[in-house]
Amino acid sequence: MDTPRTAQCTTASFPDDDHFHDECGVFGVYNHPDASALTALGLHALQHRGQEAAGIVSYGGKHFHSHRALGSVGDNFNSGEVIERLEGPMAIGHVRYSTSGGTLMRNVQPLFADLVFGGFAIAHNGNLTNARTCRRELVEEGCIFQSTSDTETILHRIATSEYRKVLDRLTDALCGVEGAYSLVALTRQKLIGVRDPAGVRPLVIGKIGDDGHVLASETCALDIIGAEYVRDVEPGEIVIFSKEGMKSLKPFAKQKSRFCIFEYIYFARPDSVIEGRNVYEVRKNIGAELARESHVDADMIVPVPDSGVPAAIGYAQESGIQFDLGIIRSHYMGRTFIQPSDAIRHLGVKLKHNANRAWIKGKRLVLVDDSIVRGTTSVKIVEMMRNAGAKEVHMRISSPPTTHPCFYGIDTPDKEKLMAHNMTVDEMAKHIGVDSLAFISHDGLYRAVGETGRNAECPQYCDACFTGEYPLPLVDKEGDPGPEQLTLLSED
Ligand code: AMP
C-alpha cells in the first residue's frame, strides 16, 4: 500500500428494515470483443438469483456505458441495440432481488461513479452488516448518497480513501466494512473480483477464448457462454485481470471460511458446482440422509417443484419408494417469495402449483420440499393434496428448521414471521395439516456436503438461519446506527 489511512475497521450491523436487503448474482468479462453480450447471457443463467432488476456497465476504451433497468434480464437486454451501445471488451453485470419496498431505479446495480482515478463500476452480492453505521459516518464527512443500497458505502469509502492506487483504495474500503460480499468491479484497466474473508457468497473464475477471463456467481453462468471453469475465488481473495494477466491478493486478516450452506440447499442452481461440489448431488445426498433419518411407509415420493425435486429423487432412491410428479408447477409464475404481500403470496401458491389428481388419489404421500420459511407454501400444498384425495400426507424438509433470519444476503423475513421460530416441529405439523413432519438434522445436512458432521466449536459453514450462530458481527443490528438516513422511498 502506498500511503497510510486513518480509517479504522468499524463493526456495526444491519438495519431491521427492507432497504438494504439484496440477494443477487454478479458477472464480469475481461478482454473479449463481445463482453456485454456474454455478460447478458451470464446474467440470464443467474436470473434465479434475482429477478427485480438487471444492469450491465461496459468500458469501451474511452468511455463507460451503462444500461440498468427494473425487471428481468430477458426484458431488458433483448435488443441488439442495447448490447451494441454497451461497447468494449470489458463489462460487469448484476441481477438484483430485493424484498418489498426499496425497488428503486437508483438501487439497480452495477453502481458507477467517476472517482479521482477515473470511472469505477461495482456490483455486489451479499449484505454488509455495518452499512448503516458506515453510511452515517460517511454522511457526517459530507458524502452524498444517491441510493439506499449498502454497496454504495463501499463506493464512498473508495472515493474518500487516502490511498492513491485503486487496489489500495478498494482494500482500504473493504477493511472498514463487515458482512458478506462477493464483488465484481470495473476500472479503465481492470476487472476485479473480491470475496469477503469468510467467503459467505460464491464467486468463480472462468476462462474464455485465448485471453478472455470471466467472473461469475455460479458455474452455470460459465457454462452458458462456453467458458471454462478455472477455480473459485478464495475467501478473502482479490483477483485482478489486466494487461498483465491475472493477479491475486490476500490483503485481509485470515478468517475461518463460512460458506452459506443455504446456497446448497436452495439458492444456487442445481447444475452449478460450488467449492468443488455439484449442487444437485448435494441436494440428492440430503434427500438420502432424510430417508435414513426419518423413514415413513408410503406409496409415493412427491417433490414440491422445482426446489424439492433433487432431494425427493435422493429420498426415493434411498427409500426404494416410487418417485412421481404429484404436483405440477406452472413455469409462467415467478417464485412465490417475490410477491410482496402475504395475501398475494397465498394466491401465488395456487397459481404456481396444481395437484396431479389422478396420481394422488388414495395414496400415502411423502412430500419433499427444501425449506419452510413462513409456512405459506406448505399449508396450501398439503390442503391441495388432501383435496385431491391423498390418504396420508407426510412432509420431509431438506433443511433444518429455519429459526433465524439471514443478514448476509439471503432474503428471509423477520424472526417473528418464521414458522419454525414460533412453533415446535409438532406444532408446525399440526398447523400445516400433515400426518408427520421431519426436517434434516444439522449433522445429516453436514454429511450431505461431505463432512462427518457439524463441528459445534467451529462450524464449517454459515448456518445461522438454522442455529442463530452468526459468524460475522451484526453491527448495525446490535449497535446504534443512528437515525434513518433514507428518506426518498419512491421515485418515478
Ligand atoms: P414459505 O411459504 O414462506 O414457507 O416458503 C417456502 C418456500 O420458499 C420453499 O419451498 C422454498 O422453495 C422457497 N424459499 C425458501 N427460502 C427462500 C428465499 N430466501 N427466497 C426465495 N424463496 C425461498
Side-chain angles (χ1 to χ4, degrees), residues 250-440:
K250 291 263 187 75
F252 309 114
K254 206 167 158 42
Q255 196 174 319
K256 175 92 182 50
S257 115
R258 298 293 292 273
F259 183 68
C260 165
I261 205 155
F262 201 69
E263 290 270 356
Y264 281 119
I265 294 168
Y266 170 78
F267 208 54
R269 234 171 73 162
D271 49 340
S272 285
V273 176
I274 298 184
E275 308 227 316
R277 285 182 199 288
N278 170 236
V279 174
Y280 176 73
E281 190 186 332
V282 169
R283 289 180 190 170
K284 274 183 70 178
N285 292 346
I286 302 176
E289 285 286 344
L290 253 179
R292 287 191 285 272
E293 285 184 0
S294 52
H295 176 81
V296 59
D297 285 333
D299 305 312
M300 198 196 288
I301 307 299
V302 175
V304 178
D306 290 329
S307 46
V309 172
I313 294 174
Y315 193 111
Q317 286 176 353
E318 180 65 23
S319 64
I321 305 171
Q322 180 185 330
F323 170 97
D324 264 306
L325 298 180
I327 302 168
I328 302 301
R329 177 181 164 186
S330 159
H331 284 270
Y332 305 99
M333 273 294 295
R335 291 178 172 190
T336 32
F337 232 78
I338 61 173
Q339 306 294 345
S341 74
D342 278 346
I344 295 182
R345 202 172 284 111
H346 268 280
L347 184 68
V349 173
K350 268 195 252 162
L351 292 173
K352 197 162 99 172
H353 294 120
N354 192 28
N356 193 358
R357 281 176 176 274
W359 283 82
I360 285 165
K361 203 166 182 310
K363 304 256 173 60
R364 296 171 301 163
L365 311 178
V366 177
L367 294 182
V368 182
D369 201 358
D370 67 286
S371 56
I372 295 179
V373 182
R374 295 174 178 84
T376 321
T377 310
S378 312
V379 168
K380 282 275 146 199
I381 295 271
V382 171
E383 192 189 343
M384 203 182 273
M385 297 297 102
R386 299 263 187 222
N387 289 343
K391 195 158 126 203
E392 288 175 24
V393 183
H394 303 273
M395 189 154 226
R396 298 293 178 264
I397 303 294
S398 66
S399 61
T402 302
T403 48
H404 291 75
C406 175
F407 295 108
Y408 307 134
I410 299 267
D411 167 30
T412 39
D414 292 343
K415 226 185 202 172
E416 295 65 40
K417 289 194 178 146
L418 296 171
M419 193 181 229
H421 176 75
N422 298 317
M423 296 183 196
T424 63
V425 173
D426 284 347
E427 287 166 346
M428 289 172 85
K430 230 181 179 171
H431 182 86
I432 293 168
V434 284
D435 297 289
S436 77
L437 170 67
F439 293 81
I440 187 81

Side-chain angles (χ1 to χ4, degrees), residues 16-248:
D16 274 324
D17 62 40
D18 280 324
H19 306 129
F20 291 104
H21 293 219
D22 267 320
E23 193 172 78
C24 306
V26 295
F27 194 85
V29 175
Y30 179 82
N31 198 24
H32 193 286
D34 297 315
S36 292
L38 295 180
T39 303
L41 286 166
L43 295 181
H44 263 290
L46 297 174
Q47 188 77 84
H48 60 288
R49 300 185 71 87
Q51 300 99 41
E52 288 202 356
I56 296 180
V57 171
S58 72
Y59 181 65
K62 249 186 175 172
H63 300 108
F64 286 85
H65 306 272
S66 163
H67 185 76
R68 305 181 306 153
L70 299 179
S72 69
V73 182
D75 288 346
N76 292 297
F77 292 91
N78 52 6
S79 90
E81 235 170 81
V82 169
I83 298 294
E84 260 164 46
R85 197 173 58 72
L86 295 168
E87 61 179 27
M90 300 154 74
I92 63 170
H94 187 262
V95 284
R96 178 164 191 267
Y97 185 135
S98 70
T99 54
S100 55
T103 307
L104 303 170
M105 248 322 284
R106 61 207 165 104
N107 283 343
V108 180
Q109 299 196 21
L111 299 183
F112 176 83
D114 270 312
L115 303 181
V116 67
F117 54 81
F120 184 83
I122 186 166
H124 172 198
N125 172 211
N127 261 128
L128 304 184
T129 53
N130 68 340
R132 197 155 150 190
T133 305
C134 263
R135 187 185 180 102
R136 187 185 56 183
E137 289 165 6
L138 288 160
V139 169
E140 276 167 10
E141 280 174 33
C143 292
I144 300 170
F145 275 75
Q146 296 294 323
S147 77
T148 61
S149 144
D150 57 347
T151 314
E152 196 178 346
T153 57
I154 300 176
L155 205 51
H156 283 291
R157 287 189 61 87
I158 295 170
T160 55
S161 170
E162 287 167 18
Y163 286 98
R164 199 172 51 80
K165 293 183 184 158
V166 182
L167 286 172
D168 294 340
R169 282 174 175 262
L170 175 65
T171 306
D172 184 33
L174 293 176
C175 276
V177 300
E178 297 280 355
Y181 51 84
S182 280
L183 305 172
V184 293
L186 192 64
T187 71
R188 283 176 303 183
Q189 286 95 19
K190 299 178 176 76
L191 169 70
I192 303 166
V194 195
R195 245 176 121 194
D196 66 75
V200 176
R201 298 274 146 245
L203 190 64
V204 297
I205 304 171
K207 211 172 163 270
I208 185 158
D210 291 337
D211 302 309
H213 300 276
V214 185
L215 289 167
S217 291
E218 294 181 38
T219 59
C220 63
L222 302 182
D223 296 341
I224 196 174
I225 58 164
E228 185 191 325
Y229 166 75
V230 175
R231 66 174 175 85
D232 288 37
V233 176
E234 288 175 30
E237 185 182 23
I238 303 184
V239 289
I240 306 109
F241 300 98
S242 69
K243 274 207 298 249
E244 285 97 58
M246 181 178 130
K247 197 168 130 189
S248 160

